[in-house]
Amino acid sequence: MRRHPYSSVAVFAWSVLVLGGFAQAEQVNLTVGNGSGYPGGNATSQVTMNATTAPAAVSFRIGFDSTKLTVTNVQAGSVVTTAQKDLEWDVPTPGTLAVAIFGVNETTIANGALATVTFSVQASVSTPSNLALDGNTQSASGADGQPLTTAIADGALSITACTTPAVPTGVSATDGSFANRVRVTWSASSGATSYLLYRSTTNNSASAALITSVVGTTYDDFSAAAATSGSSGGCGGGSSTQYTTYYYWIRAQNQCSQSALSTPDSGYRGLAKSASDATAIEMALPSKATGPVLLDSSLALRLFSEEPIDVSSVWGRVETDSLQDSTVSWVPVDGSDTDGWVVYTPQIAWVPGELIFMSAGASTQSGVALPALQYVFKADPDGAISEMGAKGVLSGASLMTVNTQDLPELSEAVGPAYAIDPCSVFSAPQTISIPIPSGIDPADVEVYYLASSSEGPVWHRGESVAGWLLESAVKGDSLAVTIRHGGIVCLGYRANLANVTTAGLVDSKGALDNVILTVLVVGALAIAHWRRSRQTQKV
């Protein structure tokens, strides 16, 4: 995989001795690939092989216009590296590249990329140009040293003018929206293949430092300094928050040129939020906090009643553009039938990205009809399925680490966040062991749960999530929690336990009514719109 300028004569004398001779029936086909570039830049061509009999050694030459191209490097391809062969190259005469691939072992070379040749294109080359790469003087031999019939196909380099990409516009940095990062976005620039992001603590591009290169039009700056909160001093006491403001510039680039810097925008990180003390009531699973519905996931809506529900009256209906089904099951939360889940288990996978409309209801044992609950789910557009490969009302669960960069930051948190898979109702409570980070006193931690809210996902103490946590206890180096359904959790330092609602109980009827009313109204409007659209399509 190296160049030996003083050994080229010996190398190619070896090629003639070993690879020369009478042609055999076996065929080794080499192809000099096409490439592209621009004046003053680089262009590459990949030499590939397709052989009916795998060779143990190969040599070839490529002719090129030395007044317009210069060979700067020849890199061995993956099949050469795998076969543990040597690659040596030289330019014995102007306009001729000579390459030999060989080795003392008898391992043969598989079909694929033999070498990548990098050319430097002279700045004086006019555009557009098509520069020929002529394959010649090729040979190959098998593991026994016998020659193989070899042919090589020509290639070419297409040289085009370089176009400077447009200056990026629409640069925007978040102002405290995220506690763990500043998110920078911008509009795509014509002619750009990637972008360079610069940052400074002053609005002066001369002091800006290059942070990263980005292919897309979004970058999360996790290296930005975190906000801090402390005493504001003075006789009145109080506290103040200190933010570090950054200015961001974007430069567009392609293979040959870069744009000027964009107009800057400033942004800063916010403070991590403490867990909510309010009672969390999950009305639908999977919850909005966990994202779209996995394609094999069951769906569940929750029903409450002050008196026991008549189980025989429980009903549910699921509708999509291609499905209407009323096959549901009832899973009580505490065995009293005053609180439970109406669960639908799909028989076939959901269609990625489709909207799924579910409604449910029941009557009490005295015959009073409960208001119908309606909800709209969305199947995962990326086609994700459960890690457990299961669906429905499950009796098993697993713990998986999730990317906390996409979750709200919790000030009490210690260690990573986890997804309890599947995010659905369990047929019986399950016990999951959450690892306690090294160096943390087990007596200082408790479990936190990410619940849906009208403002998006919000962290809650596990004991304040109605009908979820049954028990938690330290077992060795883990916190074992017994729960009724899946979700996203993390461990965190214990909060003040004085004003916390008992696990599984709802002590705020008004809060519960508000949650149910919100879900009913949003779901009813969505389903009404969907049904009107279906009627219009039928007409």
Side-chain angles (χ1 to χ4, degrees):
M1 315 340 180
R2 57 197 179 275
R3 177 182 182 180
H4 292 283
Y6 302 108
S7 63
S8 60
V9 174
V11 169
F12 287 97
W14 167 87
S15 299
V16 171
L17 290 174
V18 175
L19 302 179
F22 296 102
Q24 303 296 315
E26 294 85 352
Q27 183 71 38
V28 176
N29 295 313
L30 308 178
T31 299
V32 180
N34 297 326
S36 62
Y38 57 92
N42 291 330
T44 60
S45 171
Q46 191 173 73
V47 181
T48 58
M49 180 181 71
N50 183 15
T52 57
T53 299
V58 178
S59 72
F60 58 86
R61 294 193 176 199
I62 298 175
F64 59 93
D65 188 342
S66 61
T67 66
K68 298 179 179 179
L69 298 173
T70 302
V71 180
T72 59
N73 189 36
V74 180
Q75 184 175 5
S78 58
V79 296
V80 175
T81 302
T82 300
Q84 298 182 342
K85 301 294 182 179
D86 290 322
L87 183 150
E88 294 189 1
W89 67 275
D90 195 11
V91 181
T93 60
T96 300
L97 168 66
V99 179
I101 300 169
F102 62 97
V104 296
N105 59 46
E106 296 181 353
T107 304
T108 57
I109 305 169
N111 289 332
L114 291 180
T116 298
V117 183
T118 301
F119 296 91
S120 175
V121 183
Q122 300 296 326
S124 59
V125 174
S126 59
T127 57
S129 294
N130 197 53
L131 306 182
L133 301 177
D134 300 322
N136 53 59
T137 316
Q138 73 289 336
S139 57
S141 67
D144 57 2
Q146 295 301 309
L148 303 173
T149 302
T150 309
I152 187 167
D154 300 335
L157 298 177
S158 175
I159 309 302
T160 58
C162 175
T163 301
T164 301
V167 177
T169 59
V171 178
S172 178
T174 55
D175 297 326
S177 301
F178 303 97
N180 59 347
R181 64 193 184 274
V182 177
R183 173 164 291 178
V184 187
T185 59
W186 58 93
S187 300
S189 297
S190 174
T193 57
S194 62
Y195 302 88
L196 300 175
L197 184 141
Y198 298 81
R199 186 184 75 183
S200 175
T201 54
T202 64
N203 190 5
N204 180 2
S205 61
S207 65
L210 176 63
I211 298 299
T212 188
S213 175
V214 183
V215 174
T217 57
T218 299
Y219 179 72
D220 286 327
D221 184 10
F222 292 96
S223 67
T228 59
S229 180
S231 173
S232 60
C235 298
S239 62
S240 63
T241 302
Q242 301 296 324
Y243 302 97
T244 301
T245 299
Y246 295 92
Y247 294 86
Y248 295 90
W249 292 262
I250 308 296
R251 189 193 302 276
Q253 66 177 1
N254 56 26
Q255 61 179 348
C256 63
S257 184
Q258 296 179 348
S259 73
L261 288 174
S262 68
T263 300
D265 190 49
S266 62
Y268 54 88
R269 284 174 58 172
L271 279 174
K273 294 183 178 180
S274 296
S276 172
D277 290 330
T279 299
I281 306 169
E282 290 285 30
M283 297 300 299
L285 287 176
S287 69
K288 291 290 190 284
T290 60
V293 175
L294 301 181
L295 298 195
D296 60 345
S297 176
S298 62
L299 308 178
L301 297 183
R302 193 167 179 177
L303 296 179
F304 293 91
S305 176
E306 293 184 354
E307 64 172 296
I309 293 172
D310 180 0
V311 175
S312 65
S313 72
V314 174
W315 62 270
R317 182 168 55 251
V318 171
E319 298 180 75
T320 68
D321 285 335
S322 59
L323 170 71
Q324 294 188 27
D325 196 356
S326 301
T327 307
V328 295
S329 59
W330 170 251
V331 181
V333 168
D334 55 13
S336 67
D337 285 333
T338 59
D339 179 3
W341 295 94
V342 180
V343 181
Y344 175 80
T345 302
Q347 299 304 305
I348 58 175
W350 304 113
V351 177
E354 74 176 342
L355 295 180
I356 309 164
F357 299 84
M358 182 175 180
S359 53
S363 298
T364 66
Q365 292 181 0
S366 63
V368 177
L370 301 178
L373 189 62
Q374 300 172 325
Y375 206 80
V376 182
F377 299 91
K378 184 176 182 179
D380 194 310
D382 297 327
I385 61 173
S386 169
E387 289 290 328
M388 295 187 66
K391 60 186 180 179
V393 181
L394 300 180
S395 57
S398 65
L399 196 67
M400 301 179 298
T401 304
V402 297
N403 188 353
T404 57
Q405 294 180 359
D406 298 325
L407 304 178
E409 189 172 2
L410 176 65
S411 60
E412 293 93 341
V414 292
Y418 298 93
I420 298 176
D421 182 48
C423 185
S424 57
V425 179
F426 306 142
S427 57
Q430 296 295 298
T431 299
I432 294 289
S433 293
I434 306 174
I436 299 174
S438 176
I440 302 297
D441 186 343
D444 292 341
V445 299
E446 62 178 318
V447 66
Y448 288 82
Y449 177 93
L450 189 64
S452 298
S453 75
S454 58
E455 299 179 355
V458 175
W459 287 104
H460 292 260
R461 296 182 61 247
E463 292 187 354
S464 68
V465 181
W468 177 66
L469 179 65
L470 287 176
E471 182 183 10
S472 67
V474 175
K475 293 186 177 179
D477 57 358
S478 298
L479 183 68
V481 296
T482 303
I483 53 178
R484 292 188 173 101
H485 59 75
I488 295 178
V489 301
C490 74
L491 294 185
Y493 289 111
R494 279 190 173 275
N496 182 359
L497 303 182
N499 299 315
V500 177
T501 305
T502 304
L505 299 181
V506 181
D507 61 357
S508 176
K509 184 63 165 60
L512 174 59
D513 290 341
N514 289 337
V515 172
I516 295 177
L517 180 60
T518 300
V519 175
L520 287 173
V521 171
V522 173
L525 290 175
I527 290 183
H529 172 75
W530 174 68
R531 286 175 173 167
R532 286 196 298 271
S533 65
R534 286 174 61 88
Q535 293 170 355
T536 302
Q537 293 172 359
K538 290 179 179 179
V539 174

